[in-house]
Amino acid sequence: MANKVTDMSKIRKVIKFHCSGKSKLFISNYLSFSRNTVKKYISLFELLGLSFEAIDTKTDTELEVLFSQNTVETIDPRLQKLHDFFPQMERELKKVGVTVQHMWERYIAIHPDGFKSSQFRHHFKIWSKRVNPVMHMNHKASDKMYVDYAGKTLSIVDKDTGEIKEVQFFVAILGASQHTYAEASMSQQKEDFVTSVENAMRFFEGVPAAIVPDNLKSAVIKVSRFEPTINETLADLAEHYETTILPARAYKPRDKSLAEGAVKILYRRIYVHLKQKPFYSLEDLNQQIWDLLDAHNHKKLTGRPYSRYELFIEDEKQKLRPLPQERFEIKYQSFATVMQNGHVLLSQDKSYYSVPYQYVRKKVKLLYTKTSVEIFYKYNRIAIHPRNYKPYDYTTVAEHLASTHQFVADWSASRFIDWANSIDQAVADYIIQIIESRNHPEQAYKSCLGILNFEKKVGKKRLINACKRALDFRIYSFKAIQNILENNLDNAENEQEEDFELPNHNNIRGKNYYK
C-alpha cells in the first residue's frame, strides 16, 4: 500500500545499518524492504544532517514527522537549494520587520528560476516541521523570555539527618534563539520564583521586552482572560528591570509551548543524568545542572548548522536591554503606629526607626528589604533608613525629633558609662550592670538617667555608697538606689538595715523607674 506507515523501529534499523557501513542491498534483504524504500529513508536521513544518536533519542511520533515526506522532493536540485536557504531565512525572520515575503524576494533575486511565492511558503512550512516538529513558532529577537517549572522534581539529601528534600526544576528560554537557562530552587514560592527569574536574566546578560510565566500563584494572583492580576512582587521585579509580565492564557498550551518544549528536551539531556547520583546541597546540584546546560546550549540545533548559543550571541544578545547595576530586592510590608517618642517598631526585627515628629500617633506603612526600611504615610514616603537587625535598638535621625526629644536622641550606653565614671568606678560598675540586665535599651537609659541625677540631690559621696550597697545586694534598678537613699542605708553603720526590703526588679516596669 502506497500510504502505509512504516514501522519506526525498522527505520531506526535502516539508519543504524547504513551508519555502520552496510550496503543498501543487505539492508533491503535483511529488513524485507524494497531497495527504493531503503534509498528513500537514507536520502531523507542525509538531507536532515542528523547523527544516528540524534535519531535514536527521538520518539516514534517525531520520527514519523521527519520521515513521512515525499522522496521526490529530496532529489530535486531546486528544492535542495531552497532547503539550503531556509536556515538563514529562519534567523532573519526573528528580526523585527522581516517577513516571509521579504525573504522570498531575496531568494528569487539569488535564484531567478526558483519557486514562486506560494510554493516557497509551502516548502518552508514543511521544512520547519521536519527540522523541529515542536518549536516551529516564529519569535522575534529579544521579544520574550518564557519561564516554567518542570512537572518532575529533583532532590537533595540532608548530610546530618539523611532526609531527602524535594526541590523544584526551573527553566527559562529566550524565544528567538532558544538559549536556555535552568536551575534548582527550594520551592515555587514567590521569593524563590522571583530570584530564579532574575538569575535567568543575569545569565542571559540582558532584559527581554516581556516575561511570559505560567499561571502559578507566585506569578498571577487572579487569572483572567482580559486582565490577570500580577503578583505584586513579580510586578516590582518587572518595574526594576523595565520589562513587562505577560502571563500565558489559562488552558492555552500554545502560549507557553516553547517553555514546555524546553522542559521536555532538558528531561532527556539534564534531568536523567541528575537522577543517577545523590546531591547534598543546592549549590552542588545547580553546578551539575549548569555544566549539562552548557553542553545543551552548545549542541547544534536539529537540521541547522548552528547552536542555541551561537544564535543567541549573533542575533539576540545585543538586542536585549542592558541590565541595571543593582539586583532586585524583594520588598516586604508591615504597618505600625508612630509612638510618642517619634519612632515606629519594625516587628520583624524588633527594632525602632524614627519619623518626623509631626506623625506621632499616625498609622504608617513600612516597606523593607534586606538593606533598607522605607516609611510611608498616605502614599508619601516620610523616612528611609538602613535596616538595623539588632533587636530593641533605635535608628534615629535627629532632625525627625521635636526639640524636647533632642536630648533623648543622644542617649547611648557609652554616654551613661562615661558619665558614671566621672563620679566613681563603683557608680560606673552599677550603671553597667543596669544596662546589661535589661532587654529594652530605653528602659535601661531611663534608669541610668534617674540614678546619675541623684548626684545633684544627695551628693557624690552618698550616691557612691548607695551604688556599693546595691552592688552587694545584686539588685539593679533605679528603685533600689532610691530606697537606699530614702532610708539612709547608704551609711554602712546604719543600724536599721534589717528593716529595709529591696524591691524585686523583675516586677518593676520601665515606666515606674523614673518620673
Side-chain angles (χ1 to χ4, degrees):
M1 295 177 64
N3 294 326
K4 183 177 179 180
V5 178
T6 306
D7 186 349
M8 291 300 113
S9 63
K10 288 190 175 182
I11 292 181
R12 293 180 197 273
K13 291 179 181 179
V14 168
I15 305 304
K16 181 179 180 180
F17 286 139
H18 172 70
C19 292
S20 62
K22 301 295 184 182
S23 67
K24 295 181 179 67
L25 180 61
F26 171 84
I27 298 172
S28 174
N29 292 334
Y30 187 85
L31 297 175
S32 299
F33 272 174
S34 69
R35 293 181 65 184
N36 286 337
T37 301
V38 173
K39 289 180 181 179
K40 166 186 173 181
Y41 290 120
I42 290 176
S43 297
L44 284 171
F45 169 70
E46 292 175 346
L47 176 64
L48 292 172
L50 299 174
S51 63
F52 171 71
E53 290 75 14
I55 292 292
D56 199 40
T57 59
K58 293 187 177 297
T59 65
D60 287 352
T61 302
E62 291 172 332
L63 283 184
E64 185 176 346
V65 174
L66 288 175
F67 288 97
S68 61
Q69 309 301 325
N70 194 326
T71 57
V72 176
E73 296 178 342
T74 65
I75 59 175
D76 188 339
R78 290 196 309 157
L79 187 61
Q80 184 61 53
K81 292 178 181 178
L82 184 62
H83 285 173
D84 293 341
F85 180 77
F86 283 157
Q88 182 60 33
M89 170 182 168
E90 184 185 45
R91 295 177 63 172
E92 290 295 320
L93 286 174
K94 299 179 187 299
K95 299 179 180 179
V96 177
V98 179
T99 64
V100 175
Q101 180 64 24
H102 292 150
M103 295 310 300
W104 174 77
E105 292 172 358
R106 188 181 303 181
Y107 158 78
I108 207 68
I110 300 172
H111 305 288
D113 60 339
F115 292 92
K116 299 303 180 184
S117 178
S118 59
Q119 284 295 304
F120 179 86
R121 294 169 185 271
H122 170 72
H123 287 301
F124 179 66
K125 185 177 181 179
I126 293 175
W127 178 86
S128 297
K129 290 181 178 179
R130 276 185 187 174
V131 296
N132 202 329
V134 177
M135 302 178 195
H136 60 272
M137 295 176 64
N138 187 28
H139 299 274
K140 299 299 180 183
S142 78
D143 185 35
K144 292 182 178 70
M145 179 178 79
Y146 297 84
V147 297
D148 199 5
Y149 283 101
K152 299 178 181 178
T153 58
L154 298 170
S155 61
I156 56 176
V157 181
D158 190 301
K159 287 184 178 180
D160 299 325
T161 65
E163 178 187 1
I164 298 177
K165 298 179 180 178
E166 287 191 347
V167 296
Q168 304 298 317
F169 189 37
F170 171 86
V171 176
I173 182 169
L174 291 175
S177 62
Q178 299 181 24
H179 195 39
T180 308
Y181 173 76
E183 70 171 29
S185 62
M186 293 306 299
S187 73
Q188 294 188 22
Q189 298 299 318
K190 67 178 181 181
E191 290 83 0
D192 289 327
F193 175 66
V194 166
T195 300
S196 295
V197 172
E198 182 177 32
N199 289 344
M201 289 189 285
R202 294 284 169 176
F203 174 79
F204 296 136
E205 298 181 356
V207 181
I211 300 170
V212 183
D214 198 359
N215 284 282
L216 71 163
K217 285 292 184 182
S218 298
V220 181
I221 297 174
K222 184 177 180 181
V223 178
S224 170
R225 287 183 59 192
F226 306 105
E227 194 171 339
T229 304
I230 308 299
N231 185 290
E232 186 176 352
T233 303
L234 184 60
D236 288 342
L237 173 77
E239 182 178 352
H240 180 80
Y241 280 91
E242 296 183 358
T243 186
T244 304
I245 306 298
L246 295 176
R249 293 172 296 174
Y251 309 109
K252 297 291 183 180
R254 288 192 63 185
D255 285 6
K256 52 179 180 176
S257 60
L258 199 60
E260 292 186 343
V263 168
K264 290 178 182 178
I265 295 173
L266 295 187
Y267 273 144
R268 297 196 300 267
R269 296 184 181 175
I270 294 180
Y271 187 89
V272 66
H273 299 287
L274 301 176
K275 283 294 185 180
Q276 296 176 0
K277 62 178 181 177
F279 294 91
Y280 297 96
S281 71
L282 200 62
E283 292 75 17
D284 292 342
L285 175 58
N286 274 326
Q287 188 57 58
Q288 183 65 33
I289 289 174
W290 295 332
D291 290 343
L292 295 168
L293 183 69
D294 186 64
H296 164 74
N297 282 323
H298 283 82
K299 185 179 179 65
K300 299 295 184 184
L301 284 164
T302 305
R304 298 165 175 81
Y306 45 77
S307 66
R308 291 171 174 83
Y309 179 76
E310 292 169 337
L311 192 59
F312 167 72
I313 293 297
E314 295 175 14
D315 294 348
E316 190 158 25
K317 182 178 178 181
Q318 66 274 18
K319 295 183 179 179
L320 295 170
R321 286 202 294 272
L323 293 165
Q325 290 186 349
E326 301 294 331
R327 288 185 69 101
F328 172 70
E329 289 188 312
I330 296 177
K331 289 184 178 181
Y332 299 91
Q333 181 175 280
S334 177
F335 293 92
T337 299
V338 181
M339 299 185 298
Q340 194 67 32
N341 63 3
H343 289 74
V344 292
L345 170 67
L346 178 59
S347 56
Q348 179 73 15
D349 304 325
K350 295 184 174 62
S351 55
Y352 298 83
Y353 299 89
S354 68
V355 300
Y357 67 90
Q358 298 94 329
Y359 298 96
V360 168
R361 298 182 181 175
K362 303 290 186 183
K363 190 157 187 173
V364 296
K365 180 170 75 172
L366 292 81
L367 290 181
Y368 57 98
T369 67
K370 291 181 180 179
T371 58
S372 67
V373 176
E374 297 177 274
I375 304 168
F376 292 82
Y377 178 71
K378 292 185 177 180
Y379 306 105
N380 295 317
R381 190 174 72 185
I382 59 176
I384 181 170
H385 299 276
R387 188 168 177 183
N388 183 358
Y389 289 90
K390 187 177 180 181
Y392 307 110
D393 200 16
Y394 280 72
T395 301
T396 306
V397 175
E399 291 77 9
H400 286 170
L401 303 182
S403 58
T404 55
H405 292 163
Q406 291 296 320
F407 175 72
V408 178
D410 293 331
W411 286 1
S412 67
S414 61
R415 177 180 178 183
F416 287 113
I417 294 171
D418 291 342
W419 183 356
N421 265 318
S422 68
I423 300 174
D424 187 80
Q425 183 61 45
V427 180
D429 291 342
Y430 192 72
I431 291 298
I432 291 172
Q433 292 297 333
I434 287 281
I435 293 172
E436 291 182 350
S437 66
R438 302 293 189 271
N439 291 326
H440 196 299
E442 186 174 350
Q443 186 182 58
Y445 295 166
K446 287 181 178 180
S447 297
C448 294
L449 181 63
I451 293 168
L452 295 173
N453 277 334
F454 275 127
E455 181 190 8
K456 297 178 183 178
K457 298 178 181 180
V458 301
K460 181 182 295 188
K461 185 175 180 180
R462 289 195 65 191
L463 176 60
I464 294 171
N465 289 337
C467 289
K468 289 180 178 179
R469 294 302 298 272
L471 284 169
D472 291 339
F473 283 109
R474 297 183 180 179
I475 301 296
Y476 310 116
S477 69
F478 167 79
K479 199 70 174 177
I481 299 296
Q482 185 183 47
N483 285 343
I484 290 173
L485 293 171
E486 288 178 352
N487 290 278
N488 296 317
L489 294 178
D490 52 293
N491 186 347
E493 298 177 356
N494 196 305
E495 299 296 336
Q496 300 178 1
E497 177 179 338
E498 65 277 4
D499 297 329
F500 170 66
E501 293 184 5
L502 286 172
N504 184 347
H505 77 282
N506 292 326
N507 296 325
I508 299 174
R509 296 292 178 259
K511 64 182 181 180
N512 297 322
Y513 283 177
Y514 183 67
K515 296 182 180 179

